[in-house]
Amino acid sequence: MSDRENIPVLTDLIESGIEIRMSDLGLDDNLEIDNEDTYGDATEIEISVLKPEPSDPFEDNPALEQTVRHILDEHMELAWQEIRLAIQRHLSK
């Protein structure tokens, strides 16, 4: 920044027109940054880090597994009762 006290706001930039120069932002017009040298190694991401390993939620939690099995058993029983009623109604016609 060339002058920290004179930082432009958005309305200043809009009034100046379509083209915005670096100096309009309070920066040097000849400012050059070599992105490859500065950030080259920081942008490399290991793919293995992004892939989570599959895990078994019931592995260390037998109480959770028992609860889920109990819920499934209840639903299976209710489903079986509804199936039997549907068959009985169909045969009664």
Side-chain angles (χ1 to χ4, degrees), residues 52-60:
E53 294 184 23
S55 63
D56 183 4
F58 304 114
E59 184 176 13
D60 296 328

Side-chain angles (χ1 to χ4, degrees), residues 3-84:
D3 183 11
R4 292 186 183 268
E5 300 298 320
N6 189 17
I7 299 174
V9 294
L10 183 58
T11 54
D12 295 336
L13 297 175
I14 292 172
E15 291 172 0
S16 67
I18 295 174
E19 185 178 325
I20 299 174
R21 296 181 312 274
M22 293 295 280
S23 59
D24 294 336
L25 301 173
L27 300 171
D28 295 329
D29 282 324
N30 296 328
L31 181 65
E32 291 184 23
I33 299 174
D34 192 4
N35 287 336
E36 287 189 27
D37 289 342
T38 306
Y39 303 108
D41 59 341
T43 58
E44 293 179 15
I45 300 171
E46 290 186 33
I47 300 299
S48 62
V49 174
L50 300 177
K51 293 181 182 177
E53 294 184 23
S55 63
D56 183 4
F58 304 114
E59 184 176 13
D60 296 328
N61 199 341
L64 176 62
E65 181 177 2
Q66 183 178 6
T67 301
V68 171
R69 286 182 180 272
H70 180 68
I71 292 169
L72 289 173
D73 289 343
E74 286 181 19
H75 284 283
M76 288 294 288
E77 181 60 34
L78 291 172
W80 177 242
Q81 289 175 9
E82 288 183 36
I83 292 169
R84 288 180 61 189

